[in-house]
Amino acid sequence: MPVGLLESLRAALPHVSGFIYPNELELQWSVLIVLYPYITGLVAGAFILASLERVFNVAAVKPTYRLSLLTALAFLLIAPLPLQAHLGHPERSYEIFMTPNPSSAMAMFGFVYLWYLMAVLLMEIWLDYRREIVEWSQTEPFWPKRLFYKLLTFGVTNLSPRSLEIDDKLGKAITVIGLPSAVLLHGYVGFIFGSVKANPWWSTPLMPVIFLFSAMASGIAGVLLIYMFLCRVRREPIDMPCLDTVAKYLLTAIIVAFSLEMLESLQTAYEAKEHFDIISLLVEGKLFISMVLVQIFLGSLVPLAILGLNQIHLFPERVRRVCYAVSAGLSLVGILAMRWNVVMGGQLFSKSLRGFTTYKLELVGREGLLAAAAIGVMPLFALGALLYLLPPWPAGGDPMRTR
Amino acid sequence: MLSRRQFLKTAAATALALAGRALAAPLAAAEKFFHDPPWKRKKPYWGYAIDTTKCIGCGRCVGACKTENDVPREPFYFRTWVERYAVRRDGETGVDSPNGGQDGYPPLRDPQEVAKSFFVPKLCNQCEHSPCVQVCPVGASYKTEDGVVMVDRKTCIGCRYCIQACPYGSRYFHPVLRVADKCTLCYHRIHKGLRPACVEVCPTGTRMFGDLSDPQSAVTRFRETERVLVLKPEMGTEPKVVYKGLDKEVR
Amino acid sequence: MRDVEHLVRVAGVFVLVISAFLIARHFLVPETFGKYGHYRAAAATEMGSLPLRYAGEPACLRCHAEQAKAKAGGGHRGVHCESCHGALEAHAQDPKAAQASKPGEAQMRAFCGSCHAKDISRPAKFPQQDLEQHNPGMPCSQCHNPHNPKP
């Protein structure tokens, strides 16, 4: 018997308000399941920023192209971790590949993830870096690194103009396929929630779209901050036209995401179906701080105001940089809060619509705050490793040259 | 003398008519297949019925289920439970289910204000269109040929999606086995001709169990003579547990 | 060919990975999976083989015909044996080794009251008594035979 779990459930019992079905005391999905959509959202968002340059020829964001791809890869590599940590039997997780249930959105995860990782992201990065990889496989002094590059060449060192041209064309085609793949990678997560008819907080056709656009905002914001940080660390000047363009796309993504969320809330309030009473109590009570204050005000309205102001008036560079950094940071926090509000909010009220249970985020333990924080920062370490192995801006090279 | 066009037209019309006639029988059979409930073609097909007008809230069912099925004794894990409703004269309704109703209920705090009060036993509704089966990623949640929805303990990966998908709160996460768990209609009993434990110990005949494909079974006769409802019909889950005596306050 | 050789090699890796997956699948998908639907058919058999704890009333009638007869004629005819006597499969298998439980005189009022104590939530027609007024302190069996509890 897991004594710690039972103790915490017993402690939670007196904090139930109203009536809940007896099995609803224990929340099924913890903070780890808040993290997972956040991480895959960053993957999708970063990739879409990369595709802006490659597919839509937005030349201004070129300096962030490789960084976006590496960021997407770093977060993608860590994405399965919160899921594995949460499962009752992680050693059986391979079953998702062996006997996937065709009617289950969650069963898609294994194949969509593998497809996106192998066929899209890894291929695109490899094709874009191939010239440098071949060069480094011959010039890198540190022998483990040199071996790594040699392996990545697959034994082929041909860098003829024709082969590079083929790489470029193929890379572009992959980016084009990659766009709907990225949409699928994060859209299905939204569908996992949106298709649960049993839960009125989750059940809406808008859920995949809301998830996707807020994911784009988070990915763009993330790459923006990482780019600014890396420029500071490398003591390189920030490419302001690039940053201005990225910030403009961030503003667009926030506008769309926020509009969709507000549309959802407005319609729910207008229709005022049976579940509206309990949901109002939820938003006014347990979710007030995380939803109204953090997600809506700090995470959406403030960045909207700041970024919007920057579209109307051209502030000096220094001021713009501060505006962008603050907006990006607030968006990232706000979008994490949104994932929290969706996942936890949907479990806090009873399906009898008559009461609330309670959630206590433990500090330690497999699904505690420390574990979540550790998993949360791991992608940054993964990115560090990728930046070391595949520097987007080769020393002495032109930062604008990406291929 | 027929022209070629007239001949072709007549031939086509005749062929169509003949095909229609030939296909009529199999098409009708197919239509019947899809519209008929499964217990018209599968025997046995298990069903359940609850007459809430008889329930006295003794809680025997809750305890018997836990004993029969090794359900953890803590008050957070139930395959079946009983809810007490107290509808007050001012319109407020209070619902409670202390320890699932296993040990009875504390006295109502203001019985003089209560207009009516009753008990509603709950359990897995063994849905025909079960959302818990639909969402399981690995095929661990399934419905048998005889209509019982269960969890494969060796396959379940413990993702808990099925628990989220159940509109009735019938499922829980087994704290020791670390898999999803729920009422199995005492599958190990019904195949030996025994009743589920909850039905066995119910002293008032509130709970009924039987073979839906048998026109003489208790559940079939109940369904065909009483005005019955199911919980949350708008979900489209097609529960196989029918209720008599539900109130507008019951969810 | 020279110019696409690197792509050919990567494609080869993909083919290898997919083949490995298909081979693994052959070994890792359980045998009875898919027989009746998208589940492991043996799982239902396993659920059907779990141990019994309650014997069911017909098992009691084999030895306790006298009590069964008394019960059949009274108000408790719809109350199955194990409702009051608890799970009896062990007792039915080996009556001497596993004794049936019987509520003792000290617990009797609480035990019988768990069904028959007056409660406004219970159906009005159901036989119930206010146990604080009705012969307080007296064990119920003094006036009521549990198997045929004529008032």
Side-chain angles (χ1 to χ4, degrees):
Chain A
M1 275 285 164
V3 180
L5 167 69
L6 298 177
E7 252 172 49
S8 65
L9 287 175
R10 217 173 271 279
L13 207 47
H15 295 287
V16 168
S17 61
F19 171 72
I20 62 172
Y21 296 138
N23 286 329
E24 285 181 321
L25 180 72
E26 181 184 3
L27 266 76
Q28 301 303 323
W29 285 348
S30 68
V31 68
L32 291 176
I33 306 300
V34 171
L35 262 190
Y36 174 72
Y38 191 60
I39 293 176
T40 53
L42 287 163
V43 174
F47 182 82
I48 287 170
L49 182 61
S51 67
L52 273 177
E53 193 271 320
R54 198 73 190 272
V55 176
F56 299 105
N57 299 314
V58 180
V61 302
K62 226 184 201 176
T64 56
Y65 173 72
R66 278 185 170 180
L67 181 61
S68 302
L69 287 180
L70 292 181
T71 305
L73 180 61
F75 280 88
L76 190 66
L77 289 172
I78 303 300
L81 267 187
L83 298 179
Q84 288 287 83
H86 165 77
L87 285 180
H89 284 275
E91 77 282 3
R92 293 181 192 165
S93 54
Y94 70 89
E95 286 171 3
I96 258 184
F97 294 105
M98 297 299 140
T99 57
N101 184 1
S103 67
S104 170
M106 198 181 277
M108 278 177 77
F109 162 70
F111 294 102
V112 170
Y113 177 86
L114 271 190
W115 161 262
Y116 187 77
L117 174 68
M118 299 193 318
V120 176
L121 209 44
L122 286 179
M123 276 302 289
E124 186 166 338
I125 291 174
W126 182 69
L127 286 170
D128 194 70
Y129 272 90
R130 201 174 70 87
R131 183 197 296 173
E132 279 96 336
I133 288 175
V134 172
E135 281 170 17
W136 294 331
S137 73
Q138 288 152 354
T139 61
E140 170 62 41
F142 187 40
W143 73 262
K145 241 177 143 186
R146 197 170 65 242
L147 181 62
F148 174 71
Y149 296 130
K150 272 204 155 62
L151 285 169
L152 279 185
T153 63
F154 284 83
V156 176
T157 54
N158 174 27
L159 288 179
S160 70
R162 174 100 183 102
S163 72
L164 293 176
E165 194 190 318
I166 293 173
D167 286 352
D168 189 51
K169 278 214 174 78
L170 188 59
K172 186 155 187 179
I174 288 179
T175 316
V176 170
I177 302 174
L179 268 174
S181 304
V183 167
L184 198 60
L185 179 77
H186 192 62
Y188 98 90
V189 180
F191 187 81
I192 280 183
F193 290 98
S195 62
V196 179
K197 59 188 172 185
N199 194 323
W201 187 238
W202 292 347
S203 176
T204 166
L206 281 179
M207 196 60 91
V209 196
I210 292 176
F211 261 65
L212 197 59
F213 278 97
S214 56
M216 278 167 57
S218 70
I220 296 172
V223 174
L224 189 151
L225 280 179
I226 292 173
Y227 174 68
M228 288 179 75
F229 175 72
L230 286 178
C231 283
R232 174 73 62 90
V233 162
R234 291 169 53 231
R235 282 186 270 266
E236 289 282 334
I238 290 180
D239 182 330
M240 277 320 283
C242 171
L243 206 68
D244 288 329
T245 313
V246 174
K248 210 180 358 205
Y249 281 102
L250 176 60
L251 174 61
T252 313
I254 296 177
I255 288 176
V256 178
F258 186 64
S259 308
L260 287 168
E261 285 163 20
M262 288 304 104
L263 175 66
E264 173 69 37
S265 303
L266 212 70
Q267 179 138 347
T268 303
Y270 185 88
E271 286 188 359
K273 289 201 216 162
E274 187 189 8
H275 54 262
F276 180 64
D277 283 344
I278 194 85
I279 277 175
S280 310
L281 287 175
L282 179 71
V283 174
E284 290 163 13
K286 288 179 190 278
L287 284 190
F288 185 76
I289 295 177
S290 58
M291 186 162 186
V292 180
L293 288 183
V294 180
Q295 178 189 332
I296 295 179
F297 182 70
L298 284 178
S300 307
L301 290 176
V302 170
L304 268 177
I306 297 178
L307 291 171
L309 211 60
N310 274 274
Q311 292 300 311
I312 305 174
H313 182 268
L314 185 65
F315 291 102
E317 243 184 60
R318 256 202 83 231
V319 176
R320 294 212 307 275
R321 283 203 294 270
V322 171
C323 284
Y324 297 155
V326 167
S327 305
L330 285 177
S331 305
L332 283 170
V333 172
I335 288 161
L336 180 61
M338 181 267 184
R339 307 304 191 233
W340 174 276
N341 294 326
V342 170
V343 177
M344 307 315 277
Q347 301 178 84
L348 283 174
F349 69 97
S350 166
K351 293 194 177 74
S352 70
L353 309 180
R354 287 186 181 276
F356 295 96
T357 182
T358 182
Y359 179 63
K360 182 168 175 283
L361 178 56
E362 301 285 339
L363 192 61
V364 293
R366 198 142 75 107
E367 305 200 69
L369 183 58
L370 290 177
I375 293 178
V377 297
M378 254 188 246
L380 297 173
F381 287 100
L383 181 60
L386 287 173
L387 289 171
Y388 168 71
L389 289 171
L390 298 169
W393 308 290
D398 172 8
M400 284 296 281
R401 182 190 74 95
T402 53
R403 76 186 83 84
Chain B
M1 186 61 198
L2 279 177
S3 77
R4 190 176 338 165
R5 173 178 290 183
Q6 279 175 309
F7 173 77
L8 284 173
K9 263 191 176 169
T10 320
T14 317
L16 222 60
L18 284 174
R21 282 254 283 271
L23 290 174
L27 275 177
E31 173 133 352
K32 195 167 186 292
F33 183 88
F34 287 114
H35 284 156
D36 271 355
W39 48 90
K40 291 279 191 257
R41 56 179 184 274
K42 285 202 189 91
K43 199 177 168 54
Y45 209 81
W46 305 113
Y48 203 97
I50 294 181
D51 184 351
T52 67
T53 62
K54 292 184 177 165
C55 183
I56 56 173
C58 68
R60 294 282 191 283
C61 48
V62 184
C65 170
K66 289 210 177 189
T67 302
E68 180 70 27
N69 295 292
D70 290 324
V71 179
R73 291 277 161 185
E74 278 74 15
F76 340 111
Y77 308 110
F78 295 92
R79 292 188 175 194
T80 186
W81 66 97
V82 183
E83 298 169 2
R84 174 176 65 171
Y85 287 76
V87 181
R88 300 197 158 75
R89 272 175 252 277
D90 62 6
E92 291 297 310
T93 299
V95 187
D96 65 340
S97 186
N99 196 14
Q102 183 180 309
D103 315 309
Y105 298 78
L108 289 167
R109 73 184 142 81
D110 50 355
Q112 64 281 4
E113 296 302 317
V114 173
K116 63 180 174 183
S117 180
F118 50 89
F119 297 101
V120 179
K122 296 274 191 83
L123 72 166
C124 166
N125 287 271
Q126 305 289 345
C127 306
E128 267 305 288
H129 301 146
S130 179
C132 62
V133 173
Q134 185 185 24
V135 301
C136 175
V138 294
S141 182
Y142 62 97
K143 183 160 64 102
T144 61
E145 294 274 284
D146 44 3
V148 182
V149 179
M150 292 194 283
V151 177
D152 179 354
R153 290 174 166 178
K154 291 194 181 146
T155 302
C156 176
I157 62 175
C159 74
R160 317 204 200 190
Y161 198 10
C162 58
I163 307 176
Q164 300 285 10
C166 174
Y168 308 104
S170 308
R171 287 174 168 251
Y172 59 89
F173 188 67
H174 199 291
V176 177
L177 299 174
R178 301 190 63 76
V179 295
D181 202 28
K182 64 184 263 322
C183 162
T184 58
L185 272 194
C186 282
Y187 203 66
H188 57 295
R189 297 180 64 83
I190 61 184
H191 278 261
K192 300 187 175 88
L194 299 171
R195 290 175 282 249
C198 52
V199 178
E200 182 68 37
V201 301
C202 176
T204 54
T206 297
R207 293 173 176 258
M208 291 156 273
F209 165 81
D211 179 1
L212 289 167
S213 64
D214 175 5
Q216 296 308 315
S217 77
V219 261
T220 310
R221 281 185 285 122
F222 191 76
R223 288 164 74 105
E224 290 178 355
T225 53
E226 301 287 352
R227 305 262 179 88
V228 293
L229 287 172
V230 295
L231 293 171
K232 303 198 184 184
E234 71 280 7
M235 291 283 163
T237 53
E238 301 279 320
K240 289 203 288 290
V241 173
V242 294
Y243 283 84
K244 176 186 171 187
L246 283 184
D247 185 88
K248 74 172 182 67
E249 294 298 320
V250 179
R251 292 289 169 276
Chain C
M1 168 58 194
R2 237 193 114 233
D3 291 333
V4 296
E5 195 183 337
H6 57 292
L7 294 173
V8 170
R9 294 200 181 184
V10 167
V13 171
F14 270 97
V15 169
L16 237 92
V17 168
I18 294 175
S19 313
F21 169 74
L22 291 171
I23 294 171
R25 216 177 164 271
H26 175 79
F27 291 103
L28 289 174
V29 174
E31 225 179 282
T32 60
F33 202 96
K35 197 165 163 203
Y36 298 116
H38 194 84
Y39 64 99
R40 196 173 61 90
T45 323
E46 285 160 18
M47 288 311 254
S49 322
L50 290 174
L52 295 172
R53 303 279 149 70
Y54 281 80
E57 187 164 273
C60 312
L61 306 185
R62 287 203 300 264
C63 303
H64 300 275
E66 188 195 315
Q67 289 90 328
K69 199 148 167 268
K71 198 159 71 72
H76 275 178
R77 60 181 162 281
V79 183
H80 303 310
C81 316
E82 288 166 301
S83 206
C84 297
H85 294 288
L88 292 173
E89 174 65 15
H91 173 77
Q93 295 297 328
D94 192 340
K96 293 271 185 327
Q99 296 290 332
S101 78
K102 264 193 290 218
E105 291 205 342
Q107 308 98 339
M108 195 163 284
R109 286 185 83 83
F111 186 82
C112 304
S114 68
C115 286
H116 290 286
K118 195 158 175 62
D119 189 326
I120 65 163
S121 311
R122 294 186 159 142
K125 289 208 189 79
F126 182 77
Q128 45 193 303
Q129 291 289 351
D130 181 345
L131 292 179
E132 277 167 27
Q133 308 288 330
H134 180 83
N135 303 312
M138 212 186 281
C140 317
S141 53
Q142 220 153 44
C143 305
H144 301 277
N145 174 358
H147 294 131
N148 195 337
K150 272 198 288 281

